[in-house]
Amino acid sequence: MDEAAVNDEAEAAVTHESMEEGAPDETAASGPAGAGVTAEREVIVGLDPRNPSRAAVSWAAEEARLRGLPLRLVVAVPWLGDTRHGDDEPQRPSLRAQAAQVLESAAGWAGDECAPPELIMEVYDGSPVAGLTAGSRRAQSVVVGSRDLNRLKEVLSAGSVVLPLTARALCPVVVVREPLSARAGRPRLVVGVDADSPSPTAIGFAFGEAAVRGIALSAVAVREPSVLPFTHRERARQRQRGLLAEAVADWSDRHPGVEVAEEVLEGDPVEELVRASSTALAVVVGRSHRRLGTGIGLGRVVHGLLHRAGCPVIVVPPP
């Protein structure tokens, strides 16, 4: 089965799931905001009960603390049988107990890293993709971890959470690979910009993220190599620089405290952004409206970064 077919299968499976398929159990650790969800938005981190990602919890906890938002820890317990209340019913208490243990461990990690204003723990019966996608309606961001995203079988797996969630979420999705590597030197955020068709939501999110973290931002546009004569290439390069500056200018005015560097590079966009990811705290990219060969609504650049980036990738949906 080819990549497009597998991803289409994964997406089709998700469309039959919803938050109504199981009632979540929630417990809230009271903070300054009190018990329960008291803000309109929150940071959600989805945890794999087989392999919970401490790096993802760390990123999400810091994000929640910096923005003063609740942190929701979610573990989904998928249905094992062909029906929701059939063959796997006797195993559900044990599976939910295991999920609760994962949540307790993750709550400890969140407190160790940087305690968020409020902590909510949720065990959800059903598809993790469906649950997190539904949660993205109220979230500032959804954070997930990935240990094996560089392996082709993980990327193409119909059971993978990362690809279908990233393609469907209504808020930015942060994909954090284990382990979360330390970056030498001054931290910076990178935002990939298609100068001919920039994503204002991705650029705006990148500026906001750089502002709350107090770090510099690199706005990077990549143009394909050209066989035109030198004078034509230079004219095209200047045009790209102008378009990039125009795309960034308004957001720079809104965030005067963010130091911005604008770069126009020549080469393959995936290769250049992967190279930039080696020294970045995270790479921010916009999700394409179009289906470009991945079969799941992700453009080639986003798909390539999820596969190969050396830092967290933040994928921002279109408005």
Side-chain angles (χ1 to χ4, degrees):
M1 184 180 294
D2 64 17
E3 176 183 350
V6 171
N7 285 320
D8 277 337
E9 181 179 318
E11 185 173 25
V14 172
T15 61
H16 291 86
E17 305 281 3
S18 71
M19 282 296 284
E20 283 70 35
E21 67 183 346
D25 286 347
E26 293 183 8
T27 57
S30 297
V37 179
T38 56
E40 291 183 0
R41 307 179 76 186
E42 59 190 10
V43 177
I44 297 175
V45 56
L47 296 165
D48 182 346
R50 301 162 302 176
N51 234 336
S53 169
R54 181 161 186 161
V57 173
S58 175
W59 180 281
E62 183 176 16
E63 186 78 2
R65 180 186 65 81
L66 289 171
R67 294 181 181 270
L69 296 175
L71 174 64
R72 182 180 292 267
L73 306 172
V74 177
V75 175
V77 181
W79 301 106
L80 303 180
D82 293 334
T83 61
R84 294 176 181 176
H85 304 289
D87 298 338
D88 65 337
E89 191 64 27
Q91 302 179 51
R92 300 212 69 72
S94 174
L95 293 172
R96 291 174 67 85
Q98 293 174 23
Q101 290 177 356
V102 169
L103 287 175
E104 290 293 340
S105 295
W109 297 340
D112 291 343
E113 298 291 345
C114 42
E118 183 181 358
L119 185 64
I120 305 108
M121 295 181 286
E122 176 182 329
V123 177
Y124 168 73
D125 286 314
S127 159
V129 175
L132 293 173
T133 299
S136 72
R137 298 188 184 102
R138 67 174 182 266
Q140 183 270 341
S141 59
V142 174
V143 185
V144 290
S146 179
R147 296 176 185 274
D148 300 313
L149 200 59
N150 59 320
R151 293 169 55 186
L152 191 60
K153 68 178 183 180
E154 168 70 12
V155 172
L156 301 186
S157 168
S160 172
V161 170
V162 170
L163 287 180
L165 173 64
T166 303
R168 297 175 60 84
L170 301 176
C171 72
V173 174
V174 186
V175 180
V176 183
R177 181 179 296 176
E178 286 273 11
L180 187 57
S181 303
R183 292 287 180 258
R186 189 179 178 190
R188 64 165 184 154
L189 203 67
V190 171
V191 57
V193 180
D194 181 345
D196 291 307
S197 183
S199 167
T201 53
I203 298 170
F205 185 88
F207 268 92
E209 192 72 12
V212 298
R213 291 178 179 271
I215 61 176
L217 175 66
S218 293
V220 178
V222 184
R223 55 189 297 271
E224 298 284 352
S226 174
V227 295
L228 294 172
F230 174 78
T231 54
H232 293 280
R233 292 202 306 272
E234 187 58 30
R235 192 176 303 140
R237 189 178 294 112
Q238 291 298 333
R239 175 179 172 276
Q240 291 282 301
R241 287 173 181 158
L243 290 173
L244 177 60
E246 183 179 339
V248 166
D250 183 47
W251 294 105
S252 187
D253 290 341
R254 297 188 201 185
H255 298 276
V258 175
E259 179 185 333
V260 187
E262 300 169 16
E263 300 179 73
V264 175
L265 306 176
E266 188 171 286
D268 179 80
V270 175
E271 296 296 333
E272 294 302 325
L273 289 174
V274 166
R275 187 174 292 112
S277 76
S278 65
T279 58
L281 184 71
V283 174
V284 181
V285 284
R287 192 176 77 206
S288 172
H289 289 277
R290 304 179 300 278
R291 301 168 76 93
L292 298 178
T294 65
I296 201 166
L298 294 176
R300 187 180 75 88
V301 173
V302 173
H303 196 269
L305 284 171
L306 291 175
H307 184 49
R308 298 174 53 199
C311 68
V313 177
I314 305 174
V315 182
V316 182

